[in-house]
Amino acid sequence: MPDMRRHPVIEFTGPVLLGPDDEALGLWSVDGRLTFRMPTVEPDLTLDGWVVPGLVDAHCHIGLVEGGAADEATSLAQARADLAAGTLLVRDAGSPADTRWLTGRADAPRIIRAARHVAASRRYLRGLALEVEDRDLVETVREQARLSVAADPRGWVKLVGDWIDRDAGDLRPSFPAELVAEAIAAAHEEGARVTAHCFGEEVLDDVIAAGIDCIEHATGLQPEHLPRLAEANIPIVPTLINIATFPDIVAQAEPKFPVYAAHMHALWEGRYENVARAYAAGVQVFAGTDAGSVIAHGRIADEVAELHRAGLPSVVALDAACWSAREWLGAENLEEGAPADVVLYAQDPRRNLGTLAAPRRVVLNGDLPGEKRPSGME
């Protein structure tokens, strides 16, 4: 008679990395949950390797393609690519597609949504955002906050804080500072956190003063911003593998917008120093790929490697996509009773970040996505 259990019993025999400096031996998955107590039944599977919590991509766009929303087949392919790379938790930083149908699937990461980007009219990539006039900003943000929190109490709202102003020929804030403050307050009233796309320098004073919860890209950080971010505990998500595309933007923009092109080139040149200064000042840094229309999904290992290249110690770069990132987003780590969301590697990823590019096994909710279940459990 087939075994009717929903999940196999799994024994993990390798070192269990409980945190950046803490490890243990002896971990099992029973009924899709982690336990450090040896079960009374024999395991269906024994998996060896260095065990870490499922990785986090803190800036990812499942359901987004160039020009707008992806269809369901494409969205699922994006989700599966992230999952195969060891990303088991995604903060989706804005998507025109409603991806709630992916919730609970055995072949997709857990997703914390940010509803849709909110941008100024005619001041963002066509088809991706809700583009609004100043007068509609606060209520649009409030509505997006309600939608994101309805999907997940940990929901976010994503503002496009700055973009090129073609009349000025350079980056400019998208909205007046006082409206940004009102919009962030409205989102907080609805229980959502707020982040913002910020390339340039000028917008940062506005969003920091308004009490924003995170800053995306943050390429324009200046020394005077750093103590304010650290004191207010506002993290940054640098998305370095996306910032690597700035030279392409510069080449396209230079003939018509030379000031903007020079500005973007300078931001690109300073990207590593920018992240290193922020880390040294005590600003929390998290890993996000900005996967979507330009960046391929499944590249979390590349982003962690870039953070290390920028000056973060290897274990800190890993932590930016691991223990601290999960805690920041309200997800459990390797704890008694937590969902069995783990990734196994052949080597200690704290010492060798290169091993992140080749997960040995991925376990989501106590199952192995894409693998045949143990005999008798089909």
Side-chain angles (χ1 to χ4, degrees):
M1 179 177 178
D3 191 332
M4 301 306 292
R5 286 175 298 149
R6 294 179 58 195
H7 308 281
V9 175
I10 304 173
E11 179 180 11
F12 303 100
T13 59
V16 179
L17 302 187
L18 304 174
D21 302 305
D22 190 12
E23 63 182 78
L25 287 173
L27 181 67
W28 292 263
S29 172
V30 178
D31 295 329
R33 296 279 171 172
L34 296 176
T35 182
F36 294 90
R37 305 183 185 96
M38 182 182 294
T40 57
V41 297
E42 289 295 316
D44 301 295
L45 293 169
T46 299
L47 303 181
D48 186 44
W50 295 79
V51 183
V52 302
L55 299 183
V56 177
D57 190 337
H59 186 128
C60 185
H61 300 282
I62 293 175
L64 181 150
V65 293
E66 187 174 358
D71 59 27
E72 289 193 355
T74 301
S75 297
L76 181 57
Q78 293 173 341
R80 286 173 170 172
D82 289 321
L83 189 68
T87 296
L88 274 60
L89 179 64
V90 162
R91 183 184 63 147
D92 192 297
S95 175
D98 184 348
T99 57
R100 285 177 293 179
W101 63 275
L102 289 168
T103 302
R105 287 186 66 107
D107 55 355
R110 302 182 193 273
I111 302 174
I112 297 173
R113 300 186 72 244
R116 293 193 65 175
H117 307 66
V118 180
S121 292
R122 300 171 298 282
R123 291 276 307 281
Y124 196 51
L125 298 169
R126 186 176 300 174
L128 302 192
L130 294 173
E131 298 187 16
V132 300
E133 302 296 334
D134 289 354
R135 63 181 178 271
D136 298 319
L137 174 64
V138 175
E139 284 310 308
T140 301
V141 167
R142 185 182 296 278
E143 178 61 23
Q144 293 306 297
R146 289 172 177 163
L147 290 172
S148 65
V149 170
D152 190 314
R154 302 167 295 181
W156 288 74
V157 174
K158 168 77 171 293
L159 295 173
V160 178
D162 66 352
W163 199 252
I164 185 173
D165 182 326
R166 289 170 175 78
D167 293 333
D170 200 2
L171 291 168
R172 288 290 183 270
S174 301
F175 302 103
E178 62 273 15
L179 286 180
V180 170
E182 288 182 38
I184 290 174
H188 287 167
E189 288 171 5
E190 301 299 333
R193 289 195 275 183
V194 185
T195 193
H197 162 111
C198 300
F199 277 166
E201 301 86 352
E202 189 178 354
V203 67
L204 293 170
D205 285 321
D206 297 348
V207 297
I208 294 170
I212 201 157
D213 301 288
C214 182
I215 295 174
E216 311 301 312
H217 317 301
T219 42
L221 284 179
Q222 300 300 297
E224 60 267 25
H225 296 133
L226 301 179
R228 296 170 63 192
L229 292 174
E231 183 178 355
N233 199 28
I234 301 171
I236 64 171
V237 183
T239 66
L240 287 171
I241 61 173
N242 181 42
I243 304 309
T245 68
F246 275 21
D248 295 333
I249 297 173
V250 169
Q252 295 175 36
E254 197 162 22
K256 191 171 182 180
F257 301 107
V259 174
Y260 167 73
H263 192 178
M264 294 292 281
H265 183 77
L267 294 173
W268 171 77
E269 280 194 322
R271 66 200 185 282
Y272 293 138
E273 182 182 359
N274 184 57
V275 173
R277 281 200 310 258
Y279 168 66
V283 178
Q284 183 72 68
V285 178
F286 293 116
T289 64
D290 207 355
S293 63
V294 176
I295 305 299
H297 286 260
R299 293 190 59 192
I300 191 62
D302 294 335
E303 183 64 23
V304 172
E306 280 288 277
L307 292 176
H308 181 47
R309 184 176 180 183
L312 273 62
S314 59
V315 71
V316 176
L318 173 62
D319 193 25
C322 196
W323 308 279
S324 292
R326 296 183 69 86
E327 182 178 356
W328 173 58
L329 292 174
E332 294 168 284
N333 277 292
L334 303 183
E335 306 162 21
E336 185 71 31
D341 294 353
V342 306
V343 189
L344 286 81
Y345 296 98
Q347 300 178 48
D348 185 347
R350 298 172 300 179
R351 311 287 181 255
N352 178 10
L353 291 177
T355 197
L356 293 178
R360 176 174 279 184
R361 306 297 276 272
V362 172
V363 179
L364 176 67
N365 199 36
D367 274 300
L368 281 73
E371 296 192 30
K372 187 176 180 180
R373 305 194 84 192
S375 178
M377 294 191 68
E378 293 86 350

